[in-house]
Amino acid sequence: MSNQNPTIIVTGGAGYIGSHTIIELLKQTDYNIVSIDNYSNSTSKTFERIQAITGREVKNLNVDICNLEALELAIEQVKNPIGIIHFAAFKSVPQSVADPLLYYHNNIASLVNILKISKALEISNFIFSSSCSVYGNVESLPVTEQTPFSKAESPYAHTKQMGEEIVENYTKFSSGFNSVLLRYFNPVGAHPTGFNGELPRNRPDNLVPYITQTAAGILQQLTVFGDDYNTRDGSCIRDYIHVSDIADAHVKALNYLIENKQKAQNTIFNLGTGEGVSVLEAIRSFEKVAQQKLNYKIGPRRAGDVISIYANNDLVKRELNWEPKYNLDDMMLSAWKWQMHLKEEQ
Ligand code: UD1
């Protein structure tokens, strides 16, 4: 790959969604990719996994984005940057409740710093990782991009609301700067090869890694948090979306900005399949594709859970010509393959 090709900076490139997006960028485009990741919640091994899948090496700058001086110094190495995809952030709801200032500092300071870099280097295409948690508890479903924010349920969700507002306002007052905010619903699954996936450092909080680790015998039993909600089977409803579909949407959003197809300086897209799936349905799907019974029990509700949320994804389908390719079974099978791959690696 020639160094003359434009470069896309991916912050958090060793992370779950960042690494899958790099894989799609390498597959679908000729851009040079430079990651910025200090491995605070990831490992350098991810780049070996990316190389195993794509055959390409990715340069990573190991720097804390909250440290502006170090960031400015490191970024001098980047040749011809034309776009930034900003993933790097903390993302655990319970951790943010336990330590709100950690989240406010890390998620907001890093965003302001990366915007400063984009200004200094005149990089005019910017994509921000947001989350459906910005909606809070909503009154009507599915949610569209116009659904107003309710009060954030956690400091994590609040940093995403604030982050969106910062990017929106900065965009509004910066001529020539264009941005896309992507609101992810519940990203799950792994690369279809099973060679790259989510790597929780500690005991996972999220449903799918909890399921696969239980099935692999690492955890003893899954607890379903509540079966007495007012839903079709009593468990919570979410919009699970395959991480490779999320990654593909980033490539499309980036090209949309670079090719100047956007209708406004700032565009917001919901990234979900549009289908609500209950926790018990997710378990059934896993049991089917993994061909085994899962050890689970019904437990009490989890504090802070919204009952039901899923996306209206008409806008992203229309504007980016994006379509989710993977269904729930594909999500579960790929997550299971990844869990098996991790076991083989040990
Ligand atoms: C939340 C946020 C999401 C954020 C993500 C990051 C909302 C609506 N969503 O996702 O934006 O990106 O955290 O971590 O705030 N469950 C169990 N047992 C378990 C684990 C989970 O039953 O052991 C259930 C939960 O109650 C929930 C569903 O599985 O109904 C999904 O939970 P989880 O994977 O943790 O994601 P969210 O909380 O939906």
Side-chain angles (χ1 to χ4, degrees), residues 39-53:
Y39 305 126
S40 68
N41 190 27
S42 59
T43 79
S44 60
K45 206 167 178 348
T46 301
F47 294 106
E48 290 168 31
R49 298 189 167 114
I50 292 175
Q51 195 170 2
I53 293 170

Side-chain angles (χ1 to χ4, degrees), residues 4 7 24 40 48 69 104 110 115 119 148 199 205 214 224 236 244 247 261 267 276 290 305 320 325 331 333:
Q4 303 309 309
T7 297
E24 286 307 309
S40 68
E48 290 168 31
E69 252 174 53
Y104 287 118
S110 59
L115 287 171
K119 182 165 191 251
L199 203 59
D205 294 319
T214 304
V224 173
C236 290
S244 296
K261 291 190 173 149
T267 317
D305 260 340
L320 297 188
K325 294 191 199 77
M331 299 176 210
L333 183 60

